[in-house]
Amino acid sequence: MALTQDEQKAVDAAPNQLLIGGEWRDATGGGRLPIEDPSTGEAFCEVADATPDDAKAAIDAACDAQADWATTPPNERSEILYKAFKAIGENVDDLALLMTLEMGKSVAESKAELTYAAEFFRWFSGEALRIDGYFKNAGNGASRVLVMRQPVGPCYFITPWNFPNAMGTRKIGPALAAGCTMVVKPAQQTPLSMLALAKLLSDCGLPGGVLNVVTSKKSADVSEPIIGDPRLRKLSFTGSTEVGRKLIAQAADNVLKVSMELGGNAPFLVFEDADVDDAIEGAMIAKMRNVGEACTSANRFHVHESLAEEFAEKLAKKMGAMKVGRGTEEGTEVGPLIDADQRDKVAELVDDAVSKGATCVTGGDKRNGEGYFFEPTVLSGVTDDARVLDEEIFGPVAPIATFSSDEEAIAAANNTEYGLVSYVYTSDLKRALRVCEALETGMIGLNQGMVSNAGAPFGGVKQSGTGREGGNEGIHEYLETKYIAVNL
Ligand code: NAD
């Protein structure tokens, strides 16, 4: 299917080369990486396919720029970030269209992501001005303690396809604010959004070499020389736990500082005193935002047995009424999944749950025809042995299981190696706090279906990762603490 004129215009305006040392250039050897529209399965453009030599050039450029960027006045670093925050808003239509073409979700959802992504630049433009240290008397009174914070140095960022811009700005924002330079490698499915963001930052005055972008289908090959470079000081990754584990092992060789934002298996708990309509509203956001392709997606619903039937019916009514279609079509609420593998995995999880006794209340099928669409699906009576309760679904499927006591709900919620986020619906304050204390996740949505917020520390525990992005904590991932013992 040919792109419309507006779509073609947005694609033509986006860079399609590597950004290294402030120059846009082709990959050595001229390799190209085709980009597919998930709503048709057809490639609609190509970008440079970087080689390990390009990766070496990118880390060289980041290292060369480090000393100057670290000493650039905080006011200047802050102003570039604030300009970029404004520029995303001014260019949101073109950026959203580009994102929808390569990632699939509706244009409205792409705009929402861009608003969220831009907020990290606004937040960290402020944080750039608040990097502090302290001075105090030592206990014995004879010397003084002087503590200063300094940028960690050159960083390497690897980002996923599900939020092609926001997963980048959460790292780029604090790194720029702290005075670090970087190489960014976006996911091979969605490089255009990151290239467009890099151009926007250059247009806002970011000096060449501070941010370098390599796009490649050979992720491991281009990452190796960067992670193995002794000048690199920090690796920040957002993606699956499986890949995160491998990267932590690679980072050990040079004892890199690491931040890992990994997979999730979020439980959504509805207690017997919850307002069911509020819980449904929250469930729709927690489940259907980003077509269910979010690490924070509610992966499983544990509902008190007294409410389970009503909850399943109401959720099925709302999810079943959602408009499925190409993300660029007016009124689309549910776009395609990213690729055929992801769609087939979702179908497999649904089939497995049904074969073990679950009932499909709505949906249940992939769509025939072009593109990687899957119907919004609600499964009730899901049994404990169903894979869908254990594995990250990453699709528009809501499995519902029941519980009869708080202890049972908490045990079910914590019965996973993941620990990113959970959702709790109850109108009893004491129960809310008791349950929140017992849940083994880095974040909790309390009577709220979304936790993402640039001003809050986002991150997981257990195998969902380590480190926090956003909030007061975010910039510390990019700062080293230096202590000077002062002899008076
Ligand atoms: P993925 O792990 O397959 O890929 C993520 C990135 O890593 C991509 O850029 C990919 O090219 C790269 N990569 C893959 N193998 C690599 C290797 N051996 N060496 C270096 N780079 C490699 O994940 P995905 O499918 O792109 O994204 C979905 C996953 O991301 C889900 O598990 C989701 O939960 C997770 N995620 C987590 C968060 C969070 O903040 N915790 C946010 C968004 C997504």
Side-chain angles (χ1 to χ4, degrees):
M1 194 172 94
L3 298 185
T4 65
Q5 243 179 355
D6 281 352
E7 290 166 8
Q8 193 61 55
K9 210 173 113 215
V11 172
D12 290 344
N16 57 29
Q17 293 172 296
L18 312 175
L19 178 60
I20 298 177
E23 308 268 311
W24 292 99
R25 53 160 113 157
D26 288 329
T28 47
R32 306 290 285 169
L33 162 65
I35 310 304
E36 215 178 73
D37 174 350
S39 72
T40 60
E42 287 171 20
F44 62 92
C45 76
E46 292 180 338
V47 301
D49 186 17
T51 64
D53 282 344
D54 298 319
K56 283 184 203 151
I59 184 65
D60 282 347
C63 294
D64 290 349
Q66 179 57 55
D68 278 354
W69 184 244
T71 50
T72 298
N75 275 344
E76 283 178 34
R77 300 203 302 261
S78 169
E79 277 159 22
I80 291 171
L81 281 167
Y82 194 74
K83 265 194 207 163
F85 157 68
K86 299 289 277 182
I88 292 178
E90 285 152 16
N91 293 286
V92 73
D93 290 342
D94 286 346
L95 292 170
L97 188 53
L98 201 60
M99 187 183 286
T100 291
L101 287 174
E102 62 178 355
M103 191 274 169
K105 64 186 163 200
S106 70
V107 169
E109 288 219 67
S110 292
K111 284 187 182 170
E113 176 183 338
L114 284 156
T115 302
Y116 172 53
E119 285 298 333
F120 287 95
F121 285 172
R122 170 151 67 177
W123 176 263
F124 286 108
S125 76
E127 290 294 272
L129 305 177
R130 290 193 280 269
I131 298 166
D132 55 13
Y134 58 90
F135 183 79
K136 68 176 184 183
N137 201 347
N140 62 9
S143 64
R144 299 292 178 265
V145 173
L146 172 61
V147 171
M148 59 176 74
R149 317 237 187 240
Q150 295 179 309
V152 296
C155 304
Y156 182 40
F157 298 154
I158 305 176
T159 57
W161 50 263
N162 64 338
F163 290 102
N165 271 151
M167 299 302 101
T169 58
R170 292 205 306 198
K171 303 180 193 303
I172 296 167
L176 291 180
C180 299
T181 61
M182 66 210 74
V183 178
V184 182
K185 195 210 73 62
Q188 58 273 32
Q189 297 93 332
T190 57
L192 291 170
S193 296
M194 184 56 71
L195 291 169
L197 184 74
K199 178 174 182 304
L200 180 144
L201 278 160
S202 300
D203 293 347
C204 291
L206 189 67
V210 174
L211 169 77
N212 305 277
V213 183
V214 290
T215 53
S216 178
K217 55 177 170 262
K218 299 170 290 288
S219 302
D221 293 355
V222 297
S223 296
E224 238 169 71
I226 301 177
I227 299 173
D229 191 308
R231 297 168 297 174
L232 187 77
R233 291 314 324 141
K234 161 110 195 172
L235 168 67
S236 179
F237 170 74
T238 299
S240 61
T241 297
E242 189 190 346
V243 173
R245 276 189 205 107
K246 288 186 200 158
L247 292 172
I248 292 171
Q250 285 179 43
D253 281 347
N254 288 330
V255 194
L256 290 181
K257 218 173 154 76
V258 292
S259 295
M260 291 282 145
E261 296 288 346
L262 308 178
N265 177 9
F268 189 109
L269 307 178
V270 185
F271 290 90
E272 68 259 46
D273 52 30
D275 178 317
V276 177
D277 293 328
D278 279 357
I280 293 290
E281 206 177 298
M284 289 297 289
I285 300 168
K287 181 70 255 178
M288 294 308 293
R289 173 171 173 247
N290 223 45
V291 204
E293 293 174 311
C295 52
T296 50
S297 285
N299 206 56
R300 52 207 167 99
F301 293 82
H302 298 280
V303 183
H304 190 268
E305 57 194 7
S306 63
L307 303 178
E309 206 177 315
E310 180 188 358
F311 184 86
E313 263 173 33
K314 287 185 167 169
L315 188 62
K317 194 162 170 224
K318 288 226 174 208
M319 280 178 56
M322 292 184 90
K323 184 172 176 232
V324 181
R326 187 168 194 248
T328 51
E329 280 163 19
E330 192 64 36
T332 289
E333 294 172 288
V334 186
L337 297 176
I338 190 72
D339 54 27
D341 285 352
Q342 187 55 35
R343 182 199 51 192
D344 295 346
K345 185 192 165 195
V346 172
E348 206 181 290
L349 291 176
V350 170
D351 292 347
D352 172 77
V354 171
S355 77
K356 288 170 178 162
T359 305
C360 197
V361 193
T362 189
D365 280 321
K366 45 188 179 189
R367 273 218 184 160
N368 292 326
E370 63 178 13
Y372 310 123
F373 295 95
F374 200 92
E375 300 289 342
T377 299
V378 175
L379 300 170
S380 70
V382 176
T383 52
D384 288 349
D385 56 347
R387 284 172 52 200
V388 76
L389 298 183
D390 264 344
E391 298 177 29
E392 205 175 17
I393 306 170
F394 248 54
V397 175
I400 302 173
T402 57
F403 64 84
S404 55
S405 68
D406 290 12
E407 292 68 29
E408 203 189 320
I410 292 164
N414 289 340
N415 185 22
T416 171
E417 78 256 27
Y418 295 110
L420 190 60
V421 61
S422 26
Y423 302 91
V424 174
Y425 274 78
T426 173
S427 54
D428 176 339
L429 181 62
K430 282 188 179 177
R431 168 179 275 144
L433 293 179
R434 253 192 342 259
V435 172
C436 287
E437 280 191 7
L439 288 173
E440 297 167 353
T441 55
M443 301 176 285
I444 297 171
L446 180 55
N447 294 318
Q448 182 162 310
M450 187 158 105
V451 294
S452 303
N453 173 347
F458 187 105
V461 299
K462 294 161 79 178
Q463 294 191 32
S464 285
T466 169
R468 293 292 180 270
E469 293 188 323
N472 302 335
E473 289 81 354
I475 198 160
H476 289 284
E477 303 281 329
Y478 297 91
L479 292 169
E480 288 289 8
T481 297
K482 183 181 280 178
Y483 149 56
I484 301 162
V486 183
N487 184 359
L488 287 190

